[in-house]
């Protein structure tokens, strides 16, 4: 497979996964605020924190009002990680490789983009409600369904899954990191109904509430962490994502499990082993933030290694001089 | 429905659907019967459904210079242009003959130049053709074929005859619209297809793939074919990716390819892989910076050397543009006679060569009646439509012709035939041309159909998409 095609498949998937996560984060946060009296800027700043774009936001907006945060994360074209920007980049990548992806994938993604382009012409306040975020999420999920239903399980499909899984692991870890830090000091909520509401919203941010309840029934912070970091079968748990990424990477290269031929395999293998042999007690003892922070750094390094190993060409320049970025 | 034809006027033009007494031509009977059953709202609904389908499918062309609004759909009208089996027979044999002769011509002028020695085509004309490529002299392309894919522009004049207006042997585009338009039309008028006997066009990509595979060296059993595109910002990018997808081959850009040890290789996730045949959609000038334009960022350094050594096949071969030159065009009937000893089946439009002193005099005296074209331009640029131009514009062109006579030709203003087209709440005749596609591989194949371009502006004769043109589906009937 052409390196450039693999690169675009990988990034197309990452951008769509990113758009879906951002939409869910906002939607869940919005609903959570309705349950909390006097929910102010404190409830919206974690979203910016989790996006990793604090500097850009502070410079251009300043105040963490709901309106500012929602606009920044949805339709702001200057924010490369807004839903609209992600969708535009996913579609640009798809357009580069239109001959490779299936017609159904392209038509869906293009229709999704055209819809978003229409929305972007209206004021954010009138567009970005629950229905909008639901549409973004289901459109992303529908794309995944079409991908799975129309594309052969070859190298291309595995590059898509590799990108998707790494993006998802990154998003889960960022959200958990920020929320855990944000929620724990709120001692006044401990033992109140809000405690439950707040932790439930963390799970909802990862579509994890129902699966969590089946497994643990009651909500407790340490079990939430255990579920989102270490669960092997929940599709948004970090451990699961890394397992799937490893399978796809090895399907691409043909290298047997637990051995490596390049930096990408080495880094991913190490990360997987670390998660394979962790438990929640150890994680909490060493500090969740330390673990998650380290994990994000490792994911970044892994992304670079994948790029060096398989794509190895200059990043694309598109309109406005933007290129694919982690 | 028929009320859409109330007040329909022929205005002295040949109408592709109706005869001079406004009766349906036999080829259009089935369609007109169907239109009779529909009311106007239903017809408009089908028109907008077709447009929506084209937009959703992203069947767009890129417009340079604009930001955000860089993709547009090619305007499409759902009333097809229908060609009878009898008319098609003549077109098909005429095109085969023409492409056969042009290929012999190209091969000759890059080798012995017999046609110049025997003074059929003046040496001066050939030497001054901007598209003659010195670098291609002596090259022997695989199987002796230079022009594998040709798109010839035909028009029908008021006398009902088809004429060749232009030859396009470089990188003719538009075939993807033919294939997509047909897909949309099958959804728009499904029953009419059954009753009319419209010949299918969807196997074009199989023919194209066969043509390309035929060019690979005999020693290669499963040749690797690729479509070489300038990239996403090229106006025909949609078509490049469309054709690659239809053939199931890689779409490559210059930066995906390198020439290593004389072989053309593409960069893949598993290392470098050899490429045997490239359907290149990059102009000669940009294809290899070592041989043509040094500043080209789109091409592949060393590609021409690999081509010259027979290690990669290029379709079309570099250098074929010489046959597109509008002055050379005027000689095509003589070219056909010279190489094949036959009379041209499809006539040329009468053409005055401004390089010739006598003809130039006639052109300058009759600018208000003629269409003047630059010899090396395409896409409707660099053109004067005398009867529609102002006095000042004609003056300007007269100056240009005198300054560079070799660069201009003139033709009588043709009364291009018309096809009923949806305009608001009724039909009006709009002028059309026709671009069929011809493939030259093991034998010569003419796709039964082609791109019908339509000048959507009232009275306009310019059908190019850059100048307000749209397209229609072209139905070639089987009997």
């Amino acid at each position: 497979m052409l390196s450039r095609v693999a690169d675009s498949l990988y990034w197309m998937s990452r951008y769509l996964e990113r758009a879906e996560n951002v939409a869910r984060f906002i939607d869940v946060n919005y609903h959570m605020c309705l349950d909390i009296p006097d929910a102010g800027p404190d409830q919206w700043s974690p979203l910016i924190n989790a996006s990793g774009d604090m500097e850009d936001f502070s410079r251009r907006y300043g105040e963490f009002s709901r309106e500012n945060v929602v606009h920044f994360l949805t339709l702001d074209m200057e924010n490369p990680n807004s839903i609209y920007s992600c969708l535009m980049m996913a579609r640009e990548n798809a357009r580069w490789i239109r001959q490779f992806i299936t017609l159904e994938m392209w038509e869906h993604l293009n229709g999704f983009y055209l819809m978003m382009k229409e929305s972007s012409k209206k004021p954010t306040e009138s567009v970005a409600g629950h229905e909008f975020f639901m549409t973004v999420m289901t459109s992303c999920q529908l794309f995944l369904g079409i991908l799975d239903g129309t594309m052969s399980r070859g190298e291309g499909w595995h590059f898509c899954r590799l990108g998707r899984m790494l993006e998802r692991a990154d998003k889960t870890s960022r959200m958990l990191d920020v929320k855990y830090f944000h929620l724990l000091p709120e001692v006044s909520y401990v033992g109140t109904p809000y405690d439950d509401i707040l932790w439930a919203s963390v799970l909802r941010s990862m579509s994890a509430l129902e699966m969590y309840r089946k497994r643990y029934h009651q909500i407790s912070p340490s079990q939430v962490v255990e579920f989102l970091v270490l669960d092997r079968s929940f599709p948004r748990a970090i451990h699961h994502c890394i397992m799937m990424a490893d399978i796809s990477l090895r399907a691409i290269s043909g290298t047997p499990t637990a051995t490596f031929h390049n930096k990408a395999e080495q880094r991913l293998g190490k990360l997987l082993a670390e998660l394979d042999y962790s438990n929640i007690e150890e994680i909490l003892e060493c500090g969740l933030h330390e673990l998650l922070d380290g994990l994000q750094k490792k994911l970044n390094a892994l992304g670079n290694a994948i790029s060096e190993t398989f794509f190895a060409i200059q990043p694309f320049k598109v309109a406005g001089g933007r290129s694919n970025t982690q | 429905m028929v009320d859409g034809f109330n007040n329909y006027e022929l205005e002295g033009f040949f109408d592709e659907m109706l005869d001079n007494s406004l009766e349906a031509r036999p080829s259009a009977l089935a369609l007109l019967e169907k239109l009779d059953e529909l009311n106007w709202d239903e017809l408009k609904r089908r028109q907008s459904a077709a447009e929506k389908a084209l937009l959703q499918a992203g069947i767009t062309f890129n417009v340079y210079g604009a930001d955000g609004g860089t993709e547009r759909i090619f305007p499409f009208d759902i009333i097809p242009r229908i060609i009878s089996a009898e008319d098609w027979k003549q077109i098909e044999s005429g095109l085969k003959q023409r492409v056969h002769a042009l290929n012999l011509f190209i091969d000759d002028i890059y080798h012995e130049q017999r046609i110049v020695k025997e003074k059929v085509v003046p040496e001066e004309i050939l030497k001054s053709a901007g598209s003659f490529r010195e670098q291609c002299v002596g090259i022997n392309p695989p199987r002796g074929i230079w022009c594998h894919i040709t798109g010839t522009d035909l028009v029908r004049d008021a006398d009902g005859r088809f004429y060749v207006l232009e030859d396009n042997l470089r990188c003719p585009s538009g075939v993807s619209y033919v294939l997509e338009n047909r897909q949309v039309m099958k959804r728009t008028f499904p029953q009419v297809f059954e009753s009319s006997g419209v010949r299918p066009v969807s196997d074009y990509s199989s023919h194209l793939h066969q043509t390309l595979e035929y060019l690979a060296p005999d020693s290669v059993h499963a040749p690797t074919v690729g479509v070489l595109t300038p990239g996403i910002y090229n106006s025909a990018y949609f078509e490049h990716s469309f054709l690659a997808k239809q053939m199931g081959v890689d779409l490559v850009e210059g930066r995906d390819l390198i020439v290593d040890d004389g072989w053309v290789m593409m960069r893949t996730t598993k290392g470098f892989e050899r490429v045997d045949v490239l359907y290149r959609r990059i102009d000669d000038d940009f294809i290899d910076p070592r041989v043509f334009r040094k500043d080209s960022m789109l091409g592949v350094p060393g590609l021409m050397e690999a081509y010259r050594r027979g290690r990669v096949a290029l379709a079309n071969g570099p250098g074929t543009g010489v046959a597109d030159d509008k002055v050379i065009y005027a000689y095509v009937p003589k070219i056909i006679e010279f190489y094949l000893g036959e009379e041209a089946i499809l006539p040329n439009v009468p053409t005055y060569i401004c390089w010739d002193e006598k003809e130039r005099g006639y052109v300058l005296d009759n600018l208000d009646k003629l269409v003047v074209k630059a010899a090396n331009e395409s896409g409707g640029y660099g053109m004067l439509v005398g009867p529609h131009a102002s006095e000042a514009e004609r003056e300007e062109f007269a100056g240009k012709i005198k300054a560079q006579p070799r660069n201009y030709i003139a033709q009588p203003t043709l009364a291009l035939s018309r096809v009923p087209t949806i305009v608001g709440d009724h039909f009006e005749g709009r002028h059309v041309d026709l671009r069929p596609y011809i493939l030259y591989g093991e034998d010569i194949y003419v796709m039964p159909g082609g791109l019908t371009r339509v000048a959507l502006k009232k009275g306009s004769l310019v059908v190019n998409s850059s100048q307000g043109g749209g397209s229609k589906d072209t139905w070639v009937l089987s009997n």
Side-chain angles (χ1 to χ4, degrees):
Chain A
M1 164 179 284
L2 276 181
S3 297
R4 185 171 51 81
V5 172
D7 193 4
S8 281
L9 286 168
Y10 174 86
W11 282 105
M12 174 188 73
S13 299
R14 281 199 80 146
Y15 281 117
L16 276 176
E17 183 66 27
R18 198 172 292 177
E20 183 190 336
N21 279 287
V22 173
R24 187 178 300 103
F25 292 168
I26 302 173
D27 192 48
V28 168
N29 210 60
Y30 194 67
H31 280 248
M32 181 195 76
C33 288
L34 299 179
D35 277 337
I36 297 178
D38 309 322
D42 277 4
Q43 300 304 337
W44 287 97
S45 62
L47 259 58
I48 303 293
N49 241 327
S51 76
D53 294 312
M54 186 56 98
E55 205 177 304
D56 183 26
F57 182 87
S58 307
R59 186 169 50 79
R60 293 194 291 122
Y61 290 80
E63 196 199 339
F64 291 99
S65 66
R66 189 191 72 204
E67 293 76 10
N68 281 350
V69 170
V70 170
H71 178 72
F72 180 75
L73 294 175
T74 50
L75 298 177
D76 186 348
M77 285 296 285
E78 281 182 57
N79 171 13
N81 295 315
S82 71
I83 295 175
Y84 188 17
S85 295
C86 286
L87 191 51
M88 196 197 79
M89 287 301 288
R91 193 250 191 184
E92 279 298 282
N93 277 288
R95 211 152 75 89
W96 286 323
I97 51 165
R98 221 170 126 165
Q99 78 293 347
F100 189 89
I101 60 175
T102 63
L103 181 68
E104 289 93 333
M105 286 163 71
W106 165 255
E107 290 210 346
H108 173 69
L109 184 51
N110 193 41
F112 182 17
Y113 166 78
L114 292 174
M115 180 210 78
M116 180 66 79
K117 201 172 162 190
E118 275 309 303
S119 302
S120 72
K121 292 176 186 157
K122 299 175 202 146
T124 307
E125 269 302 282
S126 72
V127 175
H130 176 60
E131 214 173 306
F132 172 81
F133 296 115
M134 282 306 290
T135 308
V136 172
M137 284 183 270
T138 45
S139 297
C140 290
Q141 289 164 347
L142 186 51
F143 182 82
L144 274 187
I146 295 170
L147 173 93
D148 267 6
T150 61
M151 203 174 184
S152 296
R153 296 295 181 273
E155 221 182 322
W157 186 86
H158 283 292
F159 270 110
C160 287
R161 189 166 76 168
L162 182 61
R164 184 165 73 246
M165 288 300 152
L166 296 183
E167 181 68 27
R168 197 179 279 176
D170 179 68
K171 284 287 163 289
T172 299
S173 86
R174 281 169 186 274
M175 198 59 189
L176 185 60
D177 195 11
V178 170
K179 282 286 186 180
Y180 194 77
F181 175 78
H182 190 71
L183 293 184
L184 275 193
E186 298 277 343
V187 197
S188 55
Y189 285 157
V190 174
T192 70
Y194 297 122
D195 203 25
D196 209 74
I197 289 167
L198 292 171
W199 282 103
S201 87
V202 174
L203 288 165
R204 270 205 200 95
S205 300
M206 262 68 78
S207 281
L209 184 59
E210 286 175 49
M211 291 301 134
Y212 174 89
R213 286 218 192 267
K214 281 194 200 317
R215 169 91 194 268
Y216 299 96
H217 311 291
Q218 291 299 315
I219 292 183
S220 90
S222 69
Q223 283 173 335
V224 170
V225 171
E226 183 176 36
F227 189 65
L228 292 177
V229 176
L230 293 179
D231 199 86
R232 285 168 174 268
S233 49
F234 179 66
R236 295 185 176 274
I238 296 169
H239 193 184
H240 176 86
C241 293
I242 299 300
M243 282 164 58
M244 292 302 124
D246 190 64
I247 293 172
S248 281
L249 185 62
R250 288 171 191 289
I252 291 163
S253 62
T255 308
T257 315
T259 62
F260 66 94
H261 281 134
N262 56 52
K263 229 175 199 165
E265 288 164 355
Q266 183 186 23
R267 289 193 162 146
L268 184 52
K270 271 188 176 176
L271 188 53
L272 178 60
E274 192 183 330
L275 290 164
D276 280 344
Y277 297 100
S278 288
N279 59 36
I280 184 65
E281 291 77 18
E282 195 185 76
I283 287 174
L284 292 177
E285 198 182 302
C286 301
L288 177 66
H289 173 70
E290 283 66 26
L291 174 96
L292 295 174
D293 198 46
L295 194 92
Q296 283 154 32
K297 289 199 180 96
K298 285 170 195 163
L299 285 171
N300 277 341
L302 173 60
N304 293 336
I306 288 171
S307 174
E308 281 162 28
T309 308
F310 298 104
F311 313 145
I313 50 173
Q314 294 302 307
F316 293 114
K317 289 276 177 273
V318 299
R322 198 176 277 176
S323 58
N324 290 329
T325 50
Q326 301 212 33
Chain B
M1 174 63 230
V2 200
D3 57 342
F5 280 106
N6 281 350
N7 307 320
Y8 189 82
E9 284 177 50
L10 300 178
E11 298 173 286
F13 295 105
F14 184 94
D15 195 284
E16 298 282 347
M17 200 178 277
L18 305 173
D19 65 18
N20 286 340
S21 46
L22 290 174
E23 292 296 321
R25 294 185 187 279
S27 54
L29 262 176
L31 176 69
L32 282 166
E33 272 169 21
K34 180 68 199 171
L35 290 179
D36 250 345
E37 294 167 15
L38 302 175
N39 61 41
W40 192 259
D41 286 343
E42 176 60 16
L43 193 71
K44 295 282 276 188
R45 195 192 60 72
R46 292 189 189 193
Q47 170 72 33
S48 71
E51 281 166 8
K52 207 175 154 203
L54 292 170
L55 182 66
Q56 180 91 6
I59 301 166
T60 53
F61 64 95
N62 296 347
V63 182
Y64 294 101
D67 190 35
T70 51
E71 291 164 59
R72 299 209 191 125
I73 62 163
F74 193 18
F76 177 70
D77 183 84
I78 57 170
I79 305 301
R81 186 261 188 85
I82 305 172
I83 300 174
S84 69
E86 196 189 341
D87 282 341
W88 186 253
K89 223 171 121 186
Q90 191 223 358
I91 292 174
E92 188 177 22
S93 56
L95 290 171
K96 284 184 176 174
Q97 178 198 50
R98 194 171 177 100
V99 168
H100 185 194
L102 284 175
N103 190 64
L104 292 170
F105 169 72
I106 298 166
D107 200 56
D108 183 26
I109 60 161
Y110 287 120
H111 291 97
E112 291 170 62
Q113 303 201 341
R114 272 199 312 127
I115 198 161
V116 176
K117 285 174 190 149
E118 298 189 22
K119 302 202 186 318
V120 177
V121 173
E123 187 173 14
E124 206 180 328
I125 290 292
L126 187 64
K127 277 195 167 159
S128 58
S131 44
F132 181 81
R133 295 279 174 270
E134 204 61 55
Q135 299 90 333
C136 298
V137 171
I139 286 184
N140 293 304
R143 323 266 178 201
I145 308 169
W146 294 78
C147 49
H148 314 89
I149 300 111
T150 305
T152 303
D153 289 343
L154 304 178
V155 293
R156 200 197 303 240
D157 200 4
D159 60 5
R161 284 193 75 179
F162 281 97
Y163 293 84
V164 176
L165 184 65
E166 228 175 271
D167 296 289
N168 296 289
L169 292 87
R170 283 178 256 205
C171 300
S173 62
V175 73
S176 56
Y177 298 113
V178 177
L179 301 175
E180 285 289 347
N181 286 353
R182 177 59 58 85
Q183 288 291 20
V184 168
M185 284 295 281
K186 282 200 282 195
R187 279 181 258 162
T188 308
F189 293 119
Q191 303 90 337
V192 190
F193 271 89
E194 280 171 32
S195 54
S196 294
V198 181
R199 290 179 64 183
V201 291
S202 58
D203 57 346
Y204 175 80
S205 26
S206 308
H207 285 281
L208 178 60
H209 191 244
Q210 269 171 21
T211 303
L212 296 171
E213 277 202 323
Y214 177 66
L215 304 177
D218 285 328
S219 57
V220 181
H221 287 293
T224 302
V225 175
V227 176
L228 176 59
T229 174
I232 193 161
Y233 296 113
N234 185 270
S235 59
Y237 180 77
F238 160 70
E239 175 154 307
H240 308 160
S241 68
F242 177 88
L243 291 174
K245 187 188 189 76
Q246 292 279 312
M247 293 188 286
V249 304
D250 282 309
L251 178 67
V252 296
E253 295 180 22
R255 59 192 165 142
D256 296 323
L257 300 177
I258 60 158
V259 177
D260 186 25
D261 199 21
W263 298 93
V264 182
M265 314 285 263
M266 61 183 182
R267 235 180 275 268
T268 77
T269 52
K270 296 198 164 53
F272 290 102
E273 199 181 298
R274 206 176 89 198
V275 182
D276 304 299
V277 183
L278 283 171
Y279 175 23
R280 53 99 182 188
R281 296 291 297 255
I282 297 181
D283 288 339
D284 290 356
D285 282 343
F286 296 96
I287 204 168
D288 181 349
R290 281 194 201 147
V291 176
F292 299 109
R293 275 178 63 160
K294 307 238 169 326
D295 59 342
S296 170
M297 306 290 285
L298 304 170
V300 187
L303 184 63
M304 280 299 284
E305 185 53 27
Y307 173 61
R308 187 180 280 277
R309 289 163 73 179
R311 291 180 163 183
V312 69
L314 297 177
N316 290 349
T320 51
V322 66
D324 279 13
D325 185 281
K326 292 193 173 67
V327 178
I328 302 274
Y329 156 88
Y331 290 91
V332 173
K334 288 180 186 161
I335 288 173
I336 293 174
E337 209 187 317
F338 181 76
Y339 293 108
L340 305 178
E342 297 169 7
E343 197 185 324
I345 298 169
L346 285 170
N348 264 14
V349 174
T351 302
Y352 304 98
I353 299 172
C354 299
W355 174 75
D356 180 289
E357 202 178 330
K358 220 172 91 199
E359 298 192 1
R360 179 166 67 245
Y362 175 82
V363 171
L364 290 171
D365 288 343
N366 292 283
L367 273 182
D368 57 334
K369 298 187 193 77
L370 299 170
V371 175
V372 182
K373 294 176 179 174
N376 249 320
E377 296 276 353
S378 60
Y381 294 104
M383 185 170 154
L384 175 87
V385 182
H388 296 181
S390 67
E391 188 60 41
E393 284 169 322
R394 286 198 289 264
E395 283 291 313
E396 190 198 331
F397 255 77
K400 285 185 185 172
I401 292 169
K402 285 176 201 156
Q404 287 183 298
R406 165 64 179 86
N407 207 20
Y408 292 93
I409 56 128
Q411 294 168 337
T413 314
L414 296 171
L416 300 193
S417 63
R418 306 203 306 188
V419 179
T421 300
I422 297 176
V423 179
D425 60 355
H426 60 284
F427 293 115
E428 285 181 24
R430 286 290 184 266
H431 297 289
V432 295
D433 76 349
L434 174 66
R435 177 180 288 183
Y437 295 87
I438 306 107
L439 298 175
Y440 195 159
E442 202 161 359
D443 44 37
I444 300 178
Y445 166 81
V446 184
M447 171 207 228
L451 182 64
T452 290
R453 294 184 299 178
V454 52
L456 293 169
K457 278 188 224 152
K458 194 179 177 73
S460 170
L461 290 166
V462 188
V463 295
N464 305 79
S465 57
S466 52
Q467 320 266 319
S471 74
K472 283 170 171 286
D473 193 14
T474 310
W475 293 2
V476 171
L477 304 188
S478 52
N479 51 48

